[in-house]
Amino acid sequence: YERTLWSSHINLCVSLGRGDMTFQATRYTTKTNPILGSSGTRLKIFKEIQLSTNHNIDARWPLHLPASHHAFLVANFTSEPILPGEHEPEDFVVTSMINSVVEALSDPSSVTFNKRLTIHSPQQEERMTDEKTPLSFRDGRLLLVVFSRLPYDYQVKHITKLVAVMASAFGSYHTNHSLQELVTQNTEIARFASRVLTIYVALLNVVTCPTLRDFIFKQVGTCQFSLPQLYSVDNFLDGSIGKEGNWYKRDSCFMGLFEDWESPAIP
């Protein structure tokens, strides 16, 4: 019953976001009628999503979103028509997400990672969920999809800022001994930094090759959402879970955001 309810809820979010029951790969280029209304209306909706998940009035976007919000946003961004001068909602989301990355890279100790849960059993086994992995695979794909909808000059502006932030943060990891110790001793922080770098490469690919937008839209627009899973704490921390390999876990160890990079094999 719970699985059916969860699946129905996600499907409803997807349908609301794309304005249809099924994904149409060319809708965002062939249609002109908006799904969620004007640019101003969409901006208000996205700001409400930010506030409902981050509980903050500043310019930061949450580094992880519930599956329902992801379903709604991805469905809309892969289907909403791209109209001239109507990119303010996309610019808001990308700016907010990059601001969150800026803060996290500057102060890695502020990042909240997966929550530990104690299962009520005779062994009182500890488990962890991957639902709150900051800047996970699906967060990265969401950023890539939104970013690809922006005009070229906006893309350059955002990626230039991200490069400067990464250079500053990674440089400080070498010169600041307390930060260096924090990053080297906490595998989750190191993984987060690597995910930022991987996402940056994907964004740069879209800037240099705009036609990649069609590919990522088709891959993301038809994606399915699965129920959150619980893993043994020891296995989660050492990365020895997942069907693809004894170390690979897509949500936190992805090597790219396109399907051809979804592999545990070392290139």
Side-chain angles (χ1 to χ4, degrees):
Y1 169 78
E2 289 83 359
R3 289 178 178 272
T4 301
L5 179 62
W6 189 88
S7 178
S8 298
H9 178 60
I10 294 299
N11 288 335
L12 174 62
C13 293
V14 170
S15 298
L16 289 173
R18 71 164 63 122
D20 203 325
M21 294 291 290
T22 58
F23 173 69
Q24 301 176 32
T26 60
R27 191 192 192 290
Y28 76 97
T29 57
T30 59
K31 304 291 184 181
T32 57
N33 54 310
I35 298 172
L36 298 181
S38 66
S39 175
T41 301
R42 293 178 68 230
L43 180 59
K44 289 180 180 178
I45 293 174
F46 300 151
K47 285 185 175 180
E48 286 300 319
I49 290 176
Q50 178 200 29
L51 289 174
S52 68
T53 53
N54 205 29
H55 306 294
N56 233 316
I57 59 175
D58 57 19
R60 296 196 302 272
W61 187 268
L63 288 173
H64 55 77
L65 287 170
S68 56
H69 291 80
H70 264 290
F72 174 79
L73 290 168
V74 168
N76 182 253
F77 285 124
T78 54
S79 300
E80 189 77 48
I82 298 179
L83 303 176
E86 297 288 315
H87 51 264
E88 187 178 2
E90 285 79 6
D91 188 48
F92 164 75
V93 173
V94 174
T95 299
S96 301
M97 293 185 78
I98 290 180
N99 286 341
S100 296
V101 172
V102 169
E103 182 184 18
L105 288 178
S106 302
D107 181 16
S109 62
S110 67
V111 182
T112 302
F113 295 98
N114 304 284
K115 183 179 180 180
R116 297 192 183 193
L117 305 171
T118 300
I119 306 301
H120 295 290
S121 64
Q123 295 79 20
Q124 288 293 298
E125 185 179 6
E126 273 196 300
R127 296 291 185 102
M128 293 184 74
T129 174
D130 61 352
E131 186 68 8
K132 292 189 176 182
T133 299
L135 214 60
S136 67
F137 179 75
R138 67 186 187 189
D139 291 307
R141 278 192 153 187
L142 172 62
L143 176 57
L144 181 62
V145 166
V146 184
F147 179 83
S148 67
R149 292 175 58 91
L150 289 171
Y152 175 78
D153 55 336
Y154 279 75
Q155 293 179 350
V156 172
K157 176 190 70 173
H158 287 303
I159 205 163
T160 301
K161 178 180 179 180
L162 186 57
V163 169
V165 168
M166 289 167 53
S168 175
F170 294 157
S172 67
Y173 294 166
H174 288 283
T175 57
N176 188 316
H177 294 295
S178 59
L179 273 177
Q180 187 179 86
E181 184 177 0
L182 180 65
V183 173
T184 55
Q185 292 185 357
N186 191 324
T187 57
E188 288 297 333
I189 294 178
R191 286 176 179 175
F192 175 79
S194 68
R195 290 196 293 273
V196 173
L197 183 59
T198 301
I199 291 171
Y200 157 72
V201 172
L203 297 178
L204 184 60
N205 286 337
V206 168
V207 174
T208 56
C209 185
T211 55
L212 286 175
R213 181 176 65 188
D214 293 334
F215 291 99
I216 193 64
F217 274 32
K218 290 176 182 177
Q219 291 175 7
V220 176
T222 57
C223 70
Q224 301 294 318
F225 290 84
S226 56
L227 281 166
Q229 297 181 343
L230 293 175
Y231 303 101
S232 167
V233 170
D234 293 337
N235 287 341
F236 197 100
L237 294 179
D238 67 20
S240 58
I241 55 177
K243 297 179 179 178
E244 296 89 347
N246 63 356
W247 66 274
Y248 179 78
K249 187 170 186 302
R250 188 181 69 171
D251 281 344
S252 58
C253 302
F254 58 89
M255 295 181 289
L257 297 177
F258 293 91
E259 286 182 354
D260 57 345
W261 275 100
E262 284 189 61
S263 169
I266 297 177

